Amino acid sequence: MSLNQHINDELAAWDRDNLMHPTTHVANHARGDAPGRIMTGGDGVYVTDRDGNRMLDGFAALYCVNAGYGRTEIADAMSKQAHEMAYFHSYAGHGNEPAIRLAKMVMDRAPDHMARVYFGLSGSDANESNVKYAWHYHILRGQPEKKKIISRWRGYHGSGLVSGSLTGLEGYHARFHLPLPGFLHTETPHYLHRPDMDMSEADYLDHLITALETMIEREGPDTIAAFIGEPIMGTGGIIPPPEGYWARVQEVLNRHHILLIADEVVTGFGRMGQMFGSTYYGLKPDFMTIAKGLTSAYAPLSGSILSDRVFNVLSEGSDDHGVLCHGWTYSAHPVSAAAGVANLTLIDDLGLVAQAGENGPYLKKRLQEAVGDHPNVAEVRGDGLLAAVELMKNPATRTLFPTMSVAPKVAEAMLRRGVISRAMPEGDIMGFAPPLSITRDEIDIIADALRDALHEVLGS
Ligand code: PMP
């Protein structure tokens, strides 16, 4: 199958001549060498573009359209709210009904030790809020020097100045004077890439923990405010943590009074077949970053969920320090909040979290069956409805292809078969994270397309 694409009409020209796109080759796009598809519609797990192509979205856009496309319940709730009251600010304790209802729904779903949610607009700004709250917490406790933040290489936490510093991907640093001072990165927990092939998973875990402890000792525990991590690494390659990783990390952090930020932007609200990745992997975080699945991306909305130990300090501190000057014009935006309420209601009504829990292992099994014995497949992995296939030139010797030479071609070949996947930005890794509403028949379509695409690109 080949997909139509009109690239020389007026709309395509306006796109080339006026719009800067995120994470896009600037010159290629402006020249028209690499036009993106212009999307016009969606229903269920399918999206359509203006050229009439219908594609199965195996990555839920950017793993965010969790409830699936074309949900009139969410669109109607947004429309109703926009008609009644599109916007009023939330500063100085003002409120709006959908934001209050959504906060209650979020806190009802969050682990018991979490206390409040602050709503922002994107995962990036929510992580900036978490860093500021963590700094403020230590300032109020009389330890202003506790300021550095540890994240992991290949972690993804956004692309602002602070959130981009938290991110551990080279491409997000090199051209922008990042990371900012005080933002440190410890090792990626990726057993496939362990330094020594003979290491057992337990030895590898010891190695990771020693690296973390060494960093903390070298920097000085009294200078470190927080550690941030995705419960399962996402953009860095969909990498589940080694067995026991989070228990060991948390033991180290607790010993040094280093706060834990669980970045749940991808994992929040059902992707793991549970409400949060923190419960899935046994984390007890001080902050949880939420976004994507909160509204299934029908409107921009993120959140920073604060634990009671953090909230209590911030609350007591305000009696001496007054107003906490942090906020965005669009914090707790009523139309986005209405989308969030409708989305979480729909996820409950349709039982999508349980459905993801049942279909996640099926996705991994089908990918394994489809390509597990291909000579260039080093690993099929994943947890919940989140899976990856890592490709290597020679998995036995762990010889890689020249950087990113294969996965984008496989993604293209899948697209020609009508399936959207994601070539992850680091290594030759194919990522899969469909809407939670996907059925087993639709999962079969993804697995078959991957098998055929891999054979087309790599042979055998
Ligand atoms: N954290 C994680 C784990 C993410 O995956 C992302 C986005 N992919 C972000 C933060 C940043 O979110 P946003 O793009 O909405 O700023």
Side-chain angles (χ1 to χ4, degrees), residues 246-255 260 282-285:
W246 281 114
R248 294 280 299 278
V249 168
Q250 288 181 109
E251 189 280 318
V252 174
L253 302 182
N254 288 339
R255 197 151 22 89
L260 173 61
L283 282 73
K284 192 173 180 224

Side-chain angles (χ1 to χ4, degrees), residues 144-227:
E145 67 288 353
K146 255 178 147 355
K147 217 178 143 188
K148 294 173 190 161
I149 313 282
I150 300 178
S151 59
R152 283 105 42 97
W153 291 116
R154 294 175 76 153
Y156 190 84
H157 303 292
S159 69
L161 294 180
V162 162
S163 57
S165 296
L166 299 171
T167 288
L169 297 170
E170 262 297 303
Y172 287 80
H173 289 167
R175 302 161 199 165
F176 307 109
H177 301 299
L178 298 181
L180 296 172
F183 290 85
L184 314 169
H185 299 84
T186 188
E187 290 193 25
T188 312
H190 194 1
Y191 183 57
L192 182 65
H193 290 271
R194 58 199 175 277
D196 174 357
M197 283 289 264
D198 293 333
M199 256 184 187
S200 68
E201 192 162 333
D203 289 346
Y204 180 58
L205 181 54
D206 287 343
H207 162 85
L208 294 172
I209 298 303
T210 304
L212 176 62
E213 292 247 43
T214 306
M215 173 179 273
I216 292 171
E217 292 304 332
R218 186 188 69 224
E219 299 291 328
D222 293 344
T223 70
I224 301 172
F227 177 100

Side-chain angles (χ1 to χ4, degrees), residues 158-350:
S159 69
L161 294 180
V162 162
S163 57
S165 296
L166 299 171
T167 288
L169 297 170
E170 262 297 303
Y172 287 80
H173 289 167
R175 302 161 199 165
F176 307 109
H177 301 299
L178 298 181
L180 296 172
F183 290 85
L184 314 169
H185 299 84
T186 188
E187 290 193 25
T188 312
H190 194 1
Y191 183 57
L192 182 65
H193 290 271
R194 58 199 175 277
D196 174 357
M197 283 289 264
D198 293 333
M199 256 184 187
S200 68
E201 192 162 333
D203 289 346
Y204 180 58
L205 181 54
D206 287 343
H207 162 85
L208 294 172
I209 298 303
T210 304
L212 176 62
E213 292 247 43
T214 306
M215 173 179 273
I216 292 171
E217 292 304 332
R218 186 188 69 224
E219 299 291 328
D222 293 344
T223 70
I224 301 172
F227 177 100
I228 183 167
E230 303 147 88
I232 169 173
M233 271 197 175
T235 304
I238 306 186
I239 309 169
E243 187 70 37
Y245 174 80
W246 281 114
R248 294 280 299 278
V249 168
Q250 288 181 109
E251 189 280 318
V252 174
L253 302 182
N254 288 339
R255 197 151 22 89
H256 298 297
H257 200 146
I258 296 169
L259 301 176
L260 173 61
I261 305 170
D263 187 335
E264 296 259 9
V265 166
V266 170
T267 47
F269 305 105
R271 171 84 29 216
M272 308 311 298
Q274 293 188 19
M275 202 49 80
F276 293 102
S278 290
T279 29
Y280 189 95
Y281 294 111
L283 282 73
K284 192 173 180 224
D286 296 287
F287 301 91
M288 292 164 77
T289 319
I290 53 173
K292 301 184 189 275
L294 177 58
T295 60
S296 287
Y298 277 70
L301 191 70
S302 66
S304 307
I305 310 181
L306 281 55
S307 68
D308 40 26
R309 90 160 153 169
V310 171
F311 176 75
N312 290 342
V313 169
L314 265 49
S315 174
E316 283 159 22
S318 58
D319 284 336
D320 294 332
H321 294 259
V323 170
L324 185 54
C325 295
H326 173 69
W328 329 118
T329 298
Y330 300 131
S331 298
H333 194 286
V335 178
S336 297
V341 170
N343 171 59
L344 294 188
T345 305
L346 193 66
I347 286 174
D348 279 358
D349 290 351
L350 299 178

Side-chain angles (χ1 to χ4, degrees), residues 68-110:
Y69 295 91
R71 296 292 189 188
T72 49
E73 299 89 335
I74 305 177
D76 289 347
M78 292 170 65
S79 166
K80 182 167 175 287
Q81 185 60 40
H83 280 96
E84 276 172 15
M85 196 207 59
Y87 175 74
F88 195 78
H89 68 80
S90 295
Y91 280 56
H94 287 75
N96 65 74
E97 186 176 334
I100 295 168
R101 288 194 185 285
L102 184 61
K104 169 91 170 82
M105 292 175 87
V106 168
M107 297 316 299
D108 284 349
R109 286 159 181 72

